[in-house]
Amino acid sequence: MQIGITGGAGFIGAALALRLQASGHTVYVIDAFTDYYDVELKLTRAKQLQANGIDVFDGNVHEDLATWCANHSFAALFHLAALPGVPGSLTEPHRYIEDDIAMTVTVLETARTHGIPHVFFASSSSVYGEQTGALLEHQATGNVMSPYAAAKYSAETFCRTYQNLYDLNMTIFRFFTVYGPSGRPDMALFRFIEQALDGQAITVFGDPVRDFTYIDDITRGMEQALDAKATGLFNLGANRPESVRDIAMLLGERFNVPVISAPARTGDVSMTWSNTEAARQTFGYVPSFTLADGIERMITWHLERR
C-alpha cells in the first residue's frame, strides 16, 4: 500500500520509512529539514531513503501537505513531523503550539478532506508528567511539566476529536526515550557518546531514570500496528527503567573520561517507565533489544562517522 510519512528525514521517520519500504509498501516522505539540530544528519538520512527508492519531498506540512497528499493515494499517513525537546519549549512555547499542535490539526484536516482512512500520530512519554512506576495509557491526565509535553497532550486530544467527529481511524503512539544510530544529537546517549569519544567529561543533568527504547523496536511496533489496522492509544517502550547516571558511569569508565553532575533541567521529569501490555495484546508488540546491544550499535555508528 502507499504510505505517507511526515518528518520522514527525522530519526524515527527515516527508520520507519526504510522498514516499511523493505516490507513491500510504497513509501513517500515529506520533511522541511528544519534546523532544530544539524541538518546534515537529516540530509544524510534523506539520501539513504532515496537510495532505497523512497521519494523525499522537501516541503512544510503547514503549506505543502494538502498538495502532496492530493498527488498520492495514501492508505495511511504517519505524522512524525514535530518540534521536539523540552528545553526549547521553555523559551519558545509559541513555536511548539505552531509545530506540534497546529501542524497536527493540519494533518488531521488533510486526512479528512483527502479521504486518507488511517492516521498514526507520534506522541511522547512526556505527557505523563511527574509520575513513577510502569505507566498505563489512562494515567496521562494533562498534569504535565513542560510546554512540549502540553503541546503533545493537546495534539492527542485533537486526534481523538477527529476520530470521534469524522470516524477517522486513529492510532496514537507514546514513545519512550527512543535511541539508536543516527539519533537526535540533543538526546542523552548521543551526547554522552560524543563527549566520551572527544575525551570530554560526560555531563549528567539531575539523576533521571529513563525507559530507553531501541529504534528497531519502535519501528517494528509501528509496522505491527499498521498491519493489524490497530486503532487507539499505545505506549511503545522497553518496559525497563535505567539510571542515566549509571549508563554515563559505564561509558566514562570505558573511555576513561570523568562524569560530572549538573542540576536537573527545568521541565524534565525524573522517571519514565512504560507498561506496553496494550500494544502486546492488540498487535503483538514485544521489545527485544537490550540497552547494552543498542549502545554498542550506537558506538559503532559514531565511530564510523568520524
Side-chain angles (χ1 to χ4, degrees):
M1 66 180 78
Q2 283 195 16
I3 307 294
I5 303 175
T6 72
F11 171 40
I12 300 175
L16 176 65
L18 290 170
R19 176 181 286 275
L20 295 181
Q21 185 86 350
S23 294
H25 299 288
T26 304
V27 180
Y28 300 85
V29 308
I30 181 172
D31 201 291
F33 296 92
T34 53
D35 61 356
Y36 174 81
Y37 61 83
D38 187 2
V39 175
E40 284 300 317
L41 268 176
K42 299 180 182 181
L43 292 172
T44 298
R45 297 187 197 114
K47 290 177 183 177
Q48 184 183 12
L49 296 180
Q50 291 168 329
N52 283 271
I54 297 170
D55 183 81
V56 179
F57 178 67
D58 184 350
N60 185 297
V61 167
H62 291 295
E63 301 165 358
D64 303 314
L65 185 70
T67 300
W68 183 66
C69 287
N71 291 329
H72 303 289
S73 299
F74 293 135
L77 182 62
F78 286 81
H79 178 40
L80 278 71
L83 187 60
V86 168
S89 74
L90 302 177
T91 57
E92 297 184 281
H94 286 92
R95 283 192 65 193
Y96 285 76
I97 294 171
E98 182 67 19
D99 285 351
D100 290 354
I101 302 175
M103 187 185 293
T104 301
V105 176
T106 296
V107 169
L108 295 169
E109 269 293 287
T110 301
R112 180 180 69 84
T113 56
H114 287 79
I116 300 172
H118 201 150
V119 174
F120 296 82
F121 173 65
S123 188
S124 165
S125 61
S126 297
V127 302
Y128 288 104
E130 188 62 79
Q131 300 191 60
T132 58
L135 296 168
L136 292 163
E137 286 80 357
H138 73 269
Q139 290 178 253
T141 63
N143 188 22
V144 295
M145 298 293 290
S146 68
Y148 168 69
K152 282 295 188 183
Y153 189 81
S154 298
E156 286 187 9
T157 65
F158 273 99
C159 290
R160 287 191 286 269
T161 299
Y162 271 69
Q163 183 176 35
N164 294 335
L165 281 174
Y166 306 115
D167 291 325
L168 178 65
N169 292 314
M170 193 76 231
T171 307
I172 299 170
F173 300 115
R174 289 179 180 157
F175 298 147
F176 282 71
T177 316
V178 188
Y179 75 101
S182 190
R184 276 175 31 209
D186 60 314
M187 299 294 283
L189 295 186
F190 190 113
R191 181 169 51 82
F192 289 175
I193 293 170
E194 284 294 302
Q195 288 173 332
L197 292 178
D198 288 338
Q200 300 174 356
I202 297 172
T203 303
V204 180
F205 295 98
D207 194 16
V209 171
R210 292 290 180 267
D211 190 357
F212 290 100
T213 315
Y214 191 67
I215 181 64
D216 287 11
D217 281 333
I218 290 288
T219 58
R220 185 178 65 254
M222 297 170 79
E223 182 180 29
Q224 288 173 318
L226 172 68
D227 291 342
K229 298 182 179 179
T231 59
L233 174 61
F234 303 100
N235 291 332
L236 291 184
N239 312 324
R240 190 177 54 245
E242 305 274 1
S243 165
V244 175
R245 181 173 302 279
D246 287 351
I247 296 168
M249 294 297 294
L250 289 171
L251 289 170
E253 291 173 6
R254 176 169 176 172
F255 293 101
N256 195 28
V257 296
V259 174
I260 60 177
S261 298
R265 298 184 300 185
T266 302
D268 279 346
V269 298
S270 59
M271 171 180 280
T272 64
W273 182 1
S274 66
N275 181 317
T276 59
E277 184 62 17
R280 187 193 68 80
Q281 290 187 7
T282 306
F283 48 86
Y285 172 76
V286 178
S288 62
F289 280 84
T290 67
L291 182 60
D293 287 343
I295 288 177
E296 287 304 318
R297 293 186 180 207
M298 282 189 72
I299 291 171
T300 298
W301 179 84
H302 281 263
L303 288 170
E304 288 175 347
R305 70 190 291 261
R306 287 177 168 249

